[in-house]
Amino acid sequence: MILAIGDSLIAGYGLPAADSFPVQLQALLRQACPSARVVNAGVSGDTTADVLRRLPRLLSALDQRPALAIVQVGPNDVLRQVPVGRTRAQLEQVLLSLGSCGIPVLLTTVDPPMFIRDRAAAYLGIHAALAAEHGATVWPFFPPGILGHADMVLADRVHPNAKAIAAVVAAMLPIVERML
């Protein structure tokens, strides 16, 4: 079982459930392993504080220890201008909590779009630094060629559509399979 936890990119904001990241990842994993399961623990709008707050209850409610946690969180911290130090500390606590349970982590990153690049500058590198410190694997959520393309987003021009999520899953599948 894989735990996918984070924000709207995990939750599948604006998409039918069948098109969400966890469901598409599970479908690809089941081609090789029919019993593969990906738990969608994404909540649109979540910040690092929200994920950290939800994590203990979420882990205790699972019927088994995840073989992997995919963590996607941080863009909402940038949008809400959560202090950089607080974002870093909260994300570190998420990694420590998962690590104390023996759950390997694939920590994903998102390149900030041009309209918030200046605001995001101070946050860049947090994920990679923490991954290095805590033995997590860092990976870009979006592969090259997805961000900035009108045919890859919903009407809000921010969130990925099903086609974009399919490309995300295809690009991420090899690292997920290596970590399992």
Side-chain angles (χ1 to χ4, degrees), residues 2-29 37-44 70 72 141-142 154 159-170 172:
I2 295 172
L3 174 65
I5 186 167
D7 56 25
S8 59
L9 298 177
I10 296 294
Y13 174 85
L15 298 173
D19 292 334
S20 70
F21 171 81
V23 173
Q24 288 196 45
L25 178 59
Q26 179 175 287
L28 280 184
L29 288 169
R37 182 168 62 126
V38 180
V39 173
N40 186 344
V43 175
S44 293
I70 299 172
Q72 166 46 55
F141 188 83
F142 292 108
L154 298 174
H159 290 92
N161 62 21
K163 179 180 171 185
I165 292 297
V168 165
V169 168
M172 200 179 295

Side-chain angles (χ1 to χ4, degrees), residues 20-145:
S20 70
F21 171 81
V23 173
Q24 288 196 45
L25 178 59
Q26 179 175 287
L28 280 184
L29 288 169
R30 283 189 172 176
Q31 292 175 6
C33 180
S35 64
R37 182 168 62 126
V38 180
V39 173
N40 186 344
V43 175
S44 293
D46 259 13
T47 63
T48 55
D50 298 319
V51 169
L52 181 59
R53 186 173 30 257
R54 290 190 301 116
L55 191 57
R57 187 175 58 244
L58 176 64
L59 290 172
S60 67
L62 295 174
D63 59 1
Q64 68 186 67
R65 184 177 60 95
L68 176 66
I70 299 172
V71 178
Q72 166 46 55
V73 67
N76 291 315
D77 289 64
V78 174
L79 291 173
R80 295 181 186 156
Q81 298 184 317
V82 174
V84 174
R86 187 177 312 152
T87 294
R88 187 185 195 290
Q90 291 165 164
L91 185 56
E92 184 169 38
Q93 286 303 309
V94 169
L95 294 177
L96 288 168
S97 294
L98 292 166
S100 72
C101 296
I103 303 168
V105 175
L106 179 59
L107 183 60
T108 64
T109 60
V110 175
D111 264 346
M114 289 305 294
F115 71 94
I116 63 164
R117 193 166 303 268
D118 290 342
R119 187 187 315 178
Y123 297 84
L124 298 178
I126 290 174
H127 288 66
L130 287 173
E133 287 175 33
H134 297 286
T137 299
V138 69
W139 194 261
F141 188 83
F142 292 108

